[in-house]
Amino acid sequence: MMQAYQNMGQGPPPKITVIIAQKNHHTKLFQADAPDNVPAGTVVDKGIVHPKQYDFYMCAHAGPIGTSRPTHYHVLLDQIGFSPDELQSLVLSLSYVYQRSTTAISVVAPICYAHLAAAQMSQFIKFEEFADTSSGSGVPSSSTAATVPELPRLHADVCSSMFFC
């Protein structure tokens, strides 16, 4: 990403933070002395996390009855220099800004928006058609290469704004 930004010639690259969010795992959180779920916003960053890497579990939403399944966040790169409390607060805040929910959701809203965008794109492009190669070399020949269909154009009023159907 940094190489692409530098190739654009827009000046020095911005500082970025890269975080992986994992929802499918086998970790569940519960309170030791109570039958209730952990409260919304619970963060676990000691004990069950990696001893040397920067990761944490967050249960941003109020779970149903039973044990809560948190999201596992793994910080790969932090050029901005967030403190752990600042980063965890940011992640919690991003769990509350999803437009389809009035409460916190289990993963941050940008991930949900990325899933929506990918689902909408899959309506226009069938990627399976582009995966087949006839020569076996991994590069489709010019006679069998499928052309990518032109995507619909956005209306000028929404061209510079973020929207999802």
Side-chain angles (χ1 to χ4, degrees):
M1 287 185 349
M2 301 311 275
Q3 184 77 26
Y5 187 85
Q6 289 173 348
N7 289 341
M8 291 174 34
Q10 299 292 323
K15 294 180 179 181
I16 62 171
T17 297
V18 178
I19 304 170
I20 301 290
Q22 180 184 10
K23 185 66 179 150
N24 295 326
H25 52 76
H26 298 289
T27 305
K28 295 185 180 183
L29 300 179
F30 59 93
Q31 295 186 48
D33 299 333
D36 300 328
N37 283 328
V38 295
T42 298
V43 175
V44 176
D45 58 0
K46 292 183 172 122
I48 62 172
V49 297
H50 195 278
K52 296 183 181 179
Q53 297 176 1
Y54 182 18
D55 64 334
F56 60 93
Y57 290 89
M58 179 180 286
C59 192
H61 64 295
I65 297 173
T67 55
S68 299
R69 289 195 57 188
T71 302
H72 182 211
Y73 294 96
H74 194 113
V75 181
L76 299 180
L77 175 67
D78 184 13
Q79 294 177 336
I80 296 173
F82 286 110
S83 72
D85 288 340
E86 289 172 336
L87 187 61
Q88 292 163 5
S89 178
L90 174 65
V91 169
L92 181 62
S93 297
L94 287 173
S95 298
Y96 279 92
V97 296
Y98 187 55
Q99 69 181 10
R100 294 183 176 187
S101 177
T102 58
T103 61
I105 56 176
S106 60
V107 295
V108 292
I111 292 174
C112 294
Y113 292 139
H115 283 286
L116 286 173
Q120 288 178 357
M121 184 57 68
S122 70
Q123 294 176 0
F124 298 108
I125 297 177
K126 299 297 181 202
F127 291 101
E128 297 82 27
E129 296 172 5
F130 302 106
D132 294 335
T133 59
S134 61
S135 63
S137 64
V139 180
S141 64
S142 60
S143 62
T144 60
T147 58
V148 177
E150 186 174 337
L151 298 176
R153 300 284 178 202
L154 293 176
H155 190 274
D157 292 346
V158 296
C159 189
S160 298
S161 66
M162 184 173 71
F163 76 99
F164 294 95
C165 300

